[in-house]
Amino acid sequence: MSITLIFIALLAFYLAWNLGANDVANSMGTSVGSQAITLKQAIIMAGILEFTGAVLFGQEVSQTLATKIANPTLFAPTPEIYVIGMVTVLITCGLWLQIATSRGLPVASSHAVVGAMVGFSWVAVGVDGINWWSISLVALGWIVTPIISSVIAALFYSQIKHWILEQPNPLAQLQQWIPWLSVILLGVFGVIVLPSLTQPLTNYLNEEIGLNLPNYDLPLFTGAIAAVVLTVISWRQLPDVENNIDKINKGEMILTHVENLFARFQVISACFVAFAHGSNDVGNAIAPLAAIVYTNTTGNIPINGITIPMWILILGGVGIVAGLAVWGKKVIATIGENIIPLQPSSGFCAELATATTILLASRLGLPVSTSHALVGGVIGVGLVQNINSIQLPTLQGIAVAWLITFPVSTIFSIAIFSTARIVLL
């Protein structure tokens, strides 16, 4: 590997670091805010799940960003311009995410990456260098993501609130709901993710042993076993309220036990959000590097799609985890504490909505925003709880950060690319 490529890989690591500090904090903010887990536990869990999601499930979004935002055919005669442009994207996005994180603002890294690509493409080859159709689909995802997540969270939390939290004996109601909560929680993950993870084993059993299993048999079986195990474990955690709790404080203590059990479910939902984030947003960090490596290796611009080398996925995963561990605390506080007061039951619903939205987008190859989805989920819960509990100043600051990310990244990219082209060519 040349010194130049090592330097570019370090820039990609720098971007992944800042992405981890900002966006991964989004994925764990509600769990820390509701006190379901500590900050240290969040970092450890996110480290494992973000890395796994990035490596196992990060190809589709990375391919979209690497080949479908800037119009690659117009760069074919001048691959060196394309490489400079992708380096510009790495620098631009890393800088902007670092600035936002220092102020505790959860911005959307996908806004920054797409804005940076638009900026250098515009300067390099004009407006035709931008794939406006792909950008319109991505922009539609930015708009729809918080709406979908908010609706899912509001619907789910309204049912939890009505059927469990507001019932005369919420603990008894929770006991009846545990199997359904287990199925819903694991079903979201199983239907979207497990088919991809179990496909190699299914192929082996079909080809080598001749079982002729449909693609969804193993995921359904795995999900069913996991749901049963989670149900049994959760039932064993239920206290004997009548015999062990003072009747004077019974109502308060019952709700405490209900929230404690929801905290265990929230830990699992937080893991799914971290996995979902790694699978989607790793593309923002490594797509430019993957495009540069492909161009450097083949001498051609990636046109229709590329296979992301494993070492690049690993680099992105490690960078994301390191950034969260070192710089993630401020954004965690914004999401987890400064929008609405969160309990494990409400945080669980917000995270489940976020994971569902992001994993579906990853399967479709759409680079959506985890911060959009999670903030949407938190707002959905807040609308059901009490609309007056939503901290509007915090939301206004987040909204401004979202709105300015795309134009700021575009302007940064234009300035950096123009300077680099003059200096290097």
Side-chain angles (χ1 to χ4, degrees), residues 72-273:
T73 56
L74 296 182
F75 288 94
T78 54
E80 66 278 3
I81 293 292
Y82 181 78
V83 169
I84 292 175
M86 287 299 178
V87 173
T88 298
V89 172
L90 295 174
I91 297 172
T92 297
C93 297
L95 286 174
W96 174 242
L97 287 174
Q98 183 175 351
I99 292 170
T101 302
S102 68
R103 298 180 176 274
L105 294 174
V107 299
S109 57
S110 56
H111 290 207
V113 171
V114 174
M117 288 188 173
V118 167
F120 93 79
S121 299
W122 201 322
V123 172
V125 293
V127 293
D128 291 335
I130 303 164
N131 191 331
W132 294 107
W133 171 248
S134 292
I135 288 179
S136 65
L137 290 178
V138 172
L140 180 63
W142 294 340
I143 297 170
V144 171
T145 296
I147 296 174
I148 292 176
S149 185
S150 179
V151 169
I152 294 173
L155 289 175
F156 194 37
Y157 184 68
S158 65
Q159 299 306 303
I160 296 286
K161 189 168 179 280
H162 175 73
W163 292 105
I164 300 176
L165 301 179
E166 294 180 343
Q167 292 297 312
N169 191 343
L171 201 59
Q173 288 295 111
L174 179 59
Q175 184 175 14
Q176 297 177 23
W177 268 77
I178 280 175
W180 299 107
L181 292 174
S182 301
V183 169
I184 292 170
L185 179 59
L186 294 168
V188 167
F189 187 76
V191 169
I192 300 172
V193 177
L194 280 181
S196 295
L197 300 184
T198 59
Q199 190 62 50
L201 180 57
T202 300
N203 293 339
Y204 173 80
L205 293 175
N206 289 341
E207 294 171 5
E208 301 297 329
I209 303 180
L211 293 183
N212 197 26
L213 292 173
N215 289 337
Y216 278 88
D217 273 11
L218 274 179
L220 288 174
F221 176 76
T222 305
I225 294 297
V228 170
V229 170
L230 180 58
T231 298
V232 172
I233 292 174
S234 299
W235 272 337
R236 291 174 64 87
Q237 300 296 323
L238 290 171
D240 185 350
V241 177
E242 294 297 332
N243 296 325
N244 296 318
I245 297 180
D246 185 348
K247 293 184 183 297
I248 296 176
N249 299 317
K250 182 186 291 186
E252 181 181 343
M253 292 299 294
I254 286 176
L255 285 176
T256 299
H257 281 292
V258 167
E259 292 295 346
N260 287 343
L261 192 56
F262 266 113
R264 293 180 173 87
F265 278 92
Q266 191 183 6
V267 169
I268 300 174
S269 64
C271 290
F272 290 172
V273 173

